[in-house]
Amino acid sequence: MNSKKLIVLGSVNIDHILNVNEFPKPGETLTGTHYKISYGGKGANQAVAAGRLGANVQFIAAVGNDDLGKNFKQQLQSDHIDTHSVAVIDQENTGVALILVNQQGENQIAIYAGANAAVTPEYLDQFADDITKADAVLMQLETPLATVEQAAKLAKQNNTQVILNPAPAQKLSDELLAHVDIITPNETEAEFLTGIKIITEQDAQQAAQLLHDKGIHTVIITLGSKGAWVSHAQNGVIVPGFRVNAVDTIGAGDTFNGMLITALLEGKDLKQAVYYAHAAGALSVTKAGAQTSVPTRKEVDDFIQSQHLSMRN
Ligand code: ADP
C-alpha cells in the first residue's frame, strides 16, 4: 500500500436495478424481468477503486442505520478503506438509487440522498485535521455542495491536492473551481461546465482553457473509448485509451478516477497516470456493474504488461 494518504469524500448509494421490457407509463404497473441490488454511489465507487488499486484511502461519507448500510461499510473495509469517518446515521436510510433499465439499455434513475445529506460542513469539521494532513482529496458532486466547497478550501490552504470529478454535472462557483488542482469531467460534464460541445480536439482544448482560466492547472476530459484529453499548464494532448470488448460502462469514470489519483500518489507523471487510469477503466468495462467491475491492481499491471508485449511483437 502507498504511504501517501488519500481522502475520498463522497456518496454511498444502494442501487436497486430493475430490468423492464419498456418503461411504465404514469399509473401503470409493469413486471420486471430481472432485479439486482448493488453497492454504488460515485464516492463509494471511487473509494473502492482507489483502495483495490493500492491507495492508502480514508473515506468520508455516511450510511443509514439499516442492514444494507452496515453491510456496505463492512464491504468497504474489505477493500482496505479506512471507514472510521463513515458515519452511521440514526433514523435515516442509506442513500438509494432506483434504476429502471429498458430493453434498449436506456435507464431512468430516481435518487434519494438519505444519509448522504448528513455529510454537512459541520460533519466535515470533525475530519478537518485528516484533510489538512492528507496528500490528496478526491470528490464528486453527490454530497452537499457546501461540504465539497469547504473541503476544497481547507485542502487548498494546506497543500492537499484537490481532485474534483464534477459528476453529476451541476453549476459550480468560481471560488470552488479556483481551489481545484485537477478536474476530470466526461464530455457531457465538460460541455455543461463550459458551454462547449466537445467534437474536435480544438473543442476539447477550448473547454480545457476555460477551466484553466478559472485557476485549474490540470484538466482531464474523459472521452469514453477514445481515451482522454489531458491539458496541463495550457497545453493539451489526447491520451488514447485501450481497445476492449465493452460489456457495460457503468463505473468506468469512477474506476478511472480511483486509478488516476492512486498512480499520481505513487509518483507517476501525469501521462503515465492517465495511461494506468485508462487500463483500469478499460478493464472495468469488460465486466458488469460498478464496484464489481473494478479490477485488482495485479490485473491492471498484467494488462499493461500484455499491451507492451503485444506492441513489441
Ligand atoms: P464516465 O463513465 O464518467 O461517463 P467516460 O465514458 O469518459 O466517463 O469513461 C472514463 C474512462 O473509462 C475513459 O477515459 C476510458 O479510460 C475508460 N473507458 C470508458 N469506456 C470505455 C470503452 N468502451 N473502452 C475502453 N475504455 C473505456
Side-chain angles (χ1 to χ4, degrees):
M1 193 197 278
N2 199 304
S3 59
K4 294 269 175 80
K5 170 84 179 278
L6 170 67
I7 290 187
V8 178
L9 167 67
S11 57
V12 170
N13 282 332
I14 304 290
D15 294 341
H16 295 261
I17 306 163
L18 181 65
N19 292 83
V20 289
N21 289 329
E22 55 192 81
F23 295 131
K25 296 178 186 63
E28 188 181 13
T29 302
L30 284 179
T31 303
T33 53
H34 185 254
Y35 172 68
K36 192 171 75 178
I37 294 185
S38 66
Y39 295 143
K42 290 180 189 299
N45 293 347
Q46 294 184 16
V48 165
R52 208 173 285 172
L53 292 163
N56 173 8
V57 47
Q58 175 185 342
F59 189 29
I60 302 180
V63 296
N65 195 1
D66 45 31
D67 288 345
L68 283 168
K70 285 186 256 178
N71 291 342
F72 200 141
K73 191 169 168 177
Q74 269 178 8
Q75 177 64 36
L76 293 170
Q77 288 159 0
S78 70
D79 273 310
H80 320 290
I81 296 166
D82 172 355
T83 60
H84 85 271
S85 42
V86 178
V88 178
I89 308 292
D90 269 337
Q91 316 284 340
E92 194 43 280
N93 289 102
T94 302
V96 168
L98 300 178
I99 305 173
L100 290 178
V101 182
N102 71 8
Q103 271 185 325
Q104 286 72 45
E106 297 164 322
N107 55 43
Q108 283 186 343
I109 305 178
I111 282 185
Y112 174 62
N116 292 310
V119 184
T120 57
E122 295 71 43
Y123 176 68
L124 187 73
D125 280 342
Q126 296 175 52
F127 307 105
D129 242 20
D130 294 336
I131 290 182
T132 58
K133 287 187 195 133
D135 295 284
V137 56
L138 170 62
M139 301 184 282
Q140 323 72 33
L141 299 174
E142 283 182 345
T143 10
L145 196 53
T147 313
V148 173
E149 286 170 343
Q150 179 171 314
K153 189 171 176 183
L154 186 64
K156 187 76 176 182
Q157 284 165 349
N158 290 279
N159 294 322
T160 300
Q161 199 172 28
V162 179
I163 298 95
L164 179 66
N165 175 228
Q170 56 176 294
K171 210 171 159 354
L172 302 174
S173 67
D174 283 353
E175 193 192 353
L176 170 58
L177 294 175
H179 291 144
V180 173
D181 296 299
I182 304 176
I183 195 163
T184 58
N186 66 14
E187 289 161 289
T188 318
E189 291 143 9
E191 179 180 351
F192 183 91
L193 290 175
T194 64
I196 295 170
K197 194 169 175 54
I198 319 279
I199 299 165
T200 63
E201 293 193 357
Q202 282 84 342
D203 299 332
Q205 188 50 31
Q206 224 184 327
Q209 191 54 50
L210 284 178
L211 293 166
H212 287 315
D213 292 345
K214 302 282 182 190
I216 306 173
H217 283 295
T218 306
V219 178
I220 300 175
I221 302 172
T222 60
L223 307 168
S225 60
K226 298 194 291 291
W229 185 259
V230 180
S231 180
H232 179 68
Q234 331 278 328
N235 271 317
V237 287
I238 190 143
V239 178
F242 292 97
R243 222 176 244 247
V244 288
N245 285 329
V247 172
D248 93 44
T249 60
I250 297 172
D254 293 332
T255 303
F256 178 95
N257 278 280
M259 184 72 251
L260 177 77
I261 186 60
T262 301
L264 288 171
L265 289 174
E266 286 169 4
K268 297 193 166 42
D269 69 25
L270 183 61
K271 267 203 211 151
Q272 229 185 346
V274 171
Y275 185 75
Y276 269 77
H278 279 331
L283 285 171
S284 84
V285 307
T286 64
K287 286 192 191 151
Q291 293 171 23
T292 44
S293 72
V294 175
T296 61
R297 181 55 180 269
K298 184 171 180 328
E299 286 171 323
V300 173
D301 290 341
D302 289 351
F303 179 76
I304 286 178
Q305 192 153 24
S306 71
Q307 297 292 318
H308 288 171
L309 286 176
S310 67
M311 262 161 52
R312 256 188 254 149
N313 293 334

